[in-house]
């Protein structure tokens, strides 16, 4: 079942412990390695109600891991483990159960806007509810193309009156229970900061994490991971390649992945063998990279 693994992949799957990064070049068998690690860890898992959280950035990515599990390792990811996107994990275990504590709404929050559905608010500021959010420091940012939010947020180096009005609009709808996915991530981060017992409970429920496509995480998503790491998480494998970051337009910051590699370098691995291209193609492209 694991016979296809290279020596480097074999070491990552069977011999790595603690906190470590896998830096994987294109064609190096990253998805196979992630699926193999997850399959092996589930195979030897002994805890009944605590599991592994295997997260990736997009539906396409986690579904590819699921396919590898089924086709290459003849297994599936089921309770007590979790396989899905980072956002879906944040929603299920942090934001939806506890978001009301931050939003001051009386009912379970409702996610609106892409990818959860269409938002249609009355003019003027309400129409931009799903196109703005807050960054890691609480400053208002545009989360849609600039032309979708024509009002200026900064003028002559200072915030405009639109910022105050947009934040008030945000808070009004949060009080009614509505948020976008970007809001949900920000609120989840604030919840973990304010209520460390939530982070502790999640760390107890999932003492091991595997995070795929980590080069596409935002500052807020990485901060959430860091807040969880401060609690009960015993093992974490972060996998990615900063050169393959494609979601910087959605606040992704590949430098965060590089920073993790630098901090954990002594326990990390590099997958630099290309199994997708011929040796001639690799020889030609190597000087360019």
């Amino acid at each position: 079942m694991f016979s296809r693994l290279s020596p480097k992949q074999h070491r990552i799957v069977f011999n790595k412990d603690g906190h470590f990064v896998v830096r994987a070049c294109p064609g190096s068998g990253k998805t196979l390695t992630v699926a193999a690690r997850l399959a092996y860890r589930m195979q030897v898992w002994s805890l009944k109600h605590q599991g592994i959280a295997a997260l990736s950035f997009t539906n396409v990515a986690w579904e590819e891991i699921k396919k590898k599990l089924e086709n290459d390792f003849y297994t599936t990811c089921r309770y007590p483990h979790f396989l899905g996107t980072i956002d879906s994990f944040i929603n299920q275990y942090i934001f939806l159960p506890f978001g009301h504590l931050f939003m001051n709404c009386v009912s379970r929050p409702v996610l609106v806007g892409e990818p959860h559905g269409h938002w249609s608010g009355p003019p003027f500021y309400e129409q931009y509810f799903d196109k703005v959010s807050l960054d890691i420091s609480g400053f208002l940012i545009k989360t849609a193309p600039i032309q979708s939010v024509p009002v200026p947020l900064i003028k002559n180096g200072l915030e405009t009156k639109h910022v105050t009005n947009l934040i008030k609009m945000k808070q009004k709808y949060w009080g009614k229970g509505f948020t976008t996915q970007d809001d949900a991530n920000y609120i989840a981060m604030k919840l973990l900061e304010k209520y460390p017992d939530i982070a502790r409970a999640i760390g107890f429920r999932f003492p091991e994490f595997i995070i795929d496509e980590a080069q596409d995480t935002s500052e807020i998503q990485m901060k959430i991971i860091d807040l969880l790491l401060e609690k009960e998480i015993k093992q974490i494998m972060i996998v990615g390649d900063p050169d393959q970051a494609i979601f910087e337009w959605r606040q992704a910051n590949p430098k965060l992945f590089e920073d993790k590699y630098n901090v954990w370098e002594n326990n990390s691995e590099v997958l630099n063998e290309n199994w997708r291209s011929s040796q001639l193609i690799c020889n030609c492209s190597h000087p360019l990279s």
Side-chain angles (χ1 to χ4, degrees):
M1 184 165 61
F2 297 99
S3 59
R4 293 173 54 194
L5 299 178
S6 70
K8 283 188 177 182
Q9 292 171 325
H10 192 279
R11 185 165 61 247
I12 291 167
V13 170
F14 296 105
N15 302 125
K16 301 301 295 185
D17 287 306
H19 301 171
F20 65 98
V21 169
V22 176
R23 186 166 184 155
C25 75
S28 61
K30 174 181 69 65
T31 303
L32 175 66
T33 305
V34 170
R37 170 79 178 187
L38 179 57
Y40 169 68
R41 294 298 297 152
M42 290 192 300
Q43 187 181 84
V44 300
W45 200 258
S46 60
L47 302 173
K48 291 184 177 180
H49 302 293
Q50 297 170 267
I52 303 164
L55 314 178
S56 196
F57 194 78
T58 63
N59 286 323
V60 171
W62 80 259
E63 287 169 359
E64 185 63 25
I65 297 170
K66 178 176 179 288
K67 188 185 300 182
K68 288 281 186 185
L69 283 175
E70 295 170 350
N71 296 342
D72 291 43
F73 302 102
Y74 314 108
T75 188
T76 57
C77 186
R78 55 171 63 96
Y79 183 88
H81 310 296
F82 178 94
L83 174 60
T85 64
I86 293 176
D87 286 344
S88 65
F89 182 86
I90 290 170
N91 292 342
Q92 183 170 336
Y93 291 99
I94 308 173
F95 172 68
L96 289 175
F98 304 109
H100 64 282
L101 298 175
F102 181 90
M103 298 162 61
N104 296 317
C105 57
V106 297
S107 59
R108 185 179 173 91
V110 177
L111 286 157
V112 299
E114 296 299 330
H116 303 286
H118 179 67
W119 169 262
S120 179
F124 175 59
Y125 291 110
E126 283 81 354
Q127 64 183 307
Y128 304 130
F129 178 75
D130 63 332
K131 297 176 177 62
V132 296
S133 189
L134 302 178
D135 68 9
I136 194 169
S137 300
F139 294 114
L140 192 78
I141 56 171
K142 296 180 181 181
T143 57
I146 293 175
Q147 59 270 25
S148 300
V149 189
V151 297
L153 303 185
I154 302 293
K155 189 173 183 180
N156 297 327
L158 300 173
E159 291 185 343
T160 67
K161 66 176 182 180
H162 300 301
V163 171
T164 301
N165 292 332
L166 285 166
I167 290 177
K168 287 181 179 178
M169 177 271 298
K170 273 282 180 186
Q171 293 171 338
K172 180 181 77 172
Y173 278 100
W174 287 353
K176 295 180 179 181
F178 297 107
T179 62
T180 66
Q181 185 60 60
D182 291 304
D183 295 342
N185 292 343
Y186 173 79
I187 291 168
M189 178 191 72
K190 301 303 287 186
L191 286 166
L192 295 181
E193 289 177 338
K194 186 174 182 179
Y195 303 103
D197 282 348
I198 297 176
R200 192 171 292 109
I202 294 170
F204 179 80
R205 174 67 177 82
F206 295 101
E208 182 167 343
F209 274 67
I210 298 173
I211 301 177
D212 181 40
E213 302 287 0
Q215 75 276 355
D216 283 319
T217 53
S218 68
E219 285 188 277
I220 287 176
Q221 290 168 328
M222 191 62 81
K223 179 64 175 179
I224 288 171
I225 294 167
D226 287 337
L227 289 167
L228 294 175
L229 278 172
E230 292 175 4
K231 304 307 174 185
E232 303 290 330
I233 296 175
K234 303 296 189 296
Q235 303 234 32
I236 183 168
M237 178 174 84
I238 295 179
V239 188
D241 178 10
D243 294 330
Q244 296 186 68
I246 59 174
F247 286 98
E248 290 175 89
W249 58 275
R250 283 187 55 189
Q251 289 79 57
N253 186 353
K255 185 179 180 299
L256 301 172
F257 174 83
E258 295 185 78
D259 290 343
K260 278 285 182 285
Y261 178 82
N262 293 334
V263 171
W264 299 341
E265 185 174 5
N266 291 338
N267 194 38
S268 294
E269 296 283 348
V270 177
L271 285 178
N272 54 7
E273 300 167 316
N274 189 299
W275 302 98
R276 186 183 302 159
S277 304
S278 71
Q279 188 63 49
L280 289 175
I281 292 175
C282 292
N283 292 344
C284 179
S285 62
H286 178 68
L288 302 175
S289 63

